[in-house]
Amino acid sequence: MDDRALVEQQLGRPPRAFRRVAARCPDGSPAATEQWPYDDAGDPFPTTYYLTCPHLVAAIARLEAAGGVERWSEEVERDAVLAADLDRATEEQRRIRRELAGGKVGPDGGSSLELGIGGSANPRRLKCLHAHAAYALAQPGYLLGERILDELDPCWPQQCCLGSTE
């Protein structure tokens, strides 16, 4: 099965603006995908890296439900190193999106190319830990995303995606 079909199986629907698999689970299945900045209809798709591993998606959802977005937003405000790394990753995100767009802009006139990780207009106000985890998998060295992933126990179960519907 090709990567696009595997991602469709993981998501239970066709992926939107799919470009490629950017990171894989230990079993070789897609863990995070890279999206084009605009979908086939030309509409903005502001999430460059999208988490697809069913195990990670469920684990991050539990983390968010337990107040993780608020807690990590507060941690970014308290920790200057974490805040600086988020700023660096945000600029990198914008550069990657502009590069992927190749000079094209959609009906938004290109404004979505300047959004932060997960499509955030205000990167310091986190809104989706899934996007930060996906970014860390696709762009190793992203401190906030790596710390979010470190909270998952285990990050990668013995059998991750193959056959998983978690």
Side-chain angles (χ1 to χ4, degrees), residues 141-157:
Y142 174 46
L143 190 56
L144 174 61
E146 289 175 354
R147 286 189 183 172
I148 291 166
L149 287 167
D150 285 347
E151 274 198 62
L152 308 182
D153 187 26
C155 184
W156 304 107

Side-chain angles (χ1 to χ4, degrees):
M1 191 177 301
D2 72 0
D3 282 343
R4 185 182 187 86
L6 285 169
V7 170
E8 183 171 341
Q9 186 177 40
Q10 287 177 318
L11 299 175
R13 61 170 173 76
R16 209 176 129 218
F18 176 81
R19 180 171 182 262
R20 68 180 181 96
V21 171
R24 295 185 182 275
C25 298
D27 70 11
S29 298
T33 57
E34 182 177 82
Q35 313 311 112
W36 293 106
Y38 297 99
D39 67 14
D40 291 339
D43 293 323
F45 193 89
T47 304
T48 302
Y49 299 110
Y50 198 90
L51 202 60
T52 63
C53 166
H55 166 75
L56 291 180
V57 169
I60 297 285
R62 288 189 295 272
L63 186 61
E64 286 185 348
V69 173
E70 296 80 12
R71 187 170 45 80
W72 279 109
S73 293
E74 290 168 6
E75 188 63 24
V76 166
E77 289 304 313
R78 279 193 298 269
D79 185 328
V81 171
L82 202 59
D85 194 60
L86 174 58
D87 292 344
R88 177 202 58 79
T90 297
E91 286 308 311
E92 182 179 67
Q93 154 83 2
R94 291 171 177 155
R95 180 192 55 76
I96 290 167
R97 290 182 58 70
R98 288 188 299 265
E99 188 176 292
L100 289 174
K104 296 177 187 170
V105 296
D108 66 346
S111 64
S112 64
L113 300 176
E114 300 306 315
L115 296 173
I117 295 168
S120 178
N122 180 353
R124 291 281 182 97
R125 290 192 59 193
L126 306 183
K127 65 179 197 171
C128 179
L129 299 184
H130 293 86
H132 290 275
Y135 195 94
L137 292 172
Q139 298 289 329
Y142 174 46
L143 190 56
L144 174 61
E146 289 175 354
R147 286 189 183 172
I148 291 166
L149 287 167
D150 285 347
E151 274 198 62
L152 308 182
D153 187 26
C155 184
W156 304 107
Q158 235 175 351
Q159 286 191 317
C160 193
C161 290
L162 292 179
S164 174
T165 57
E166 182 180 6

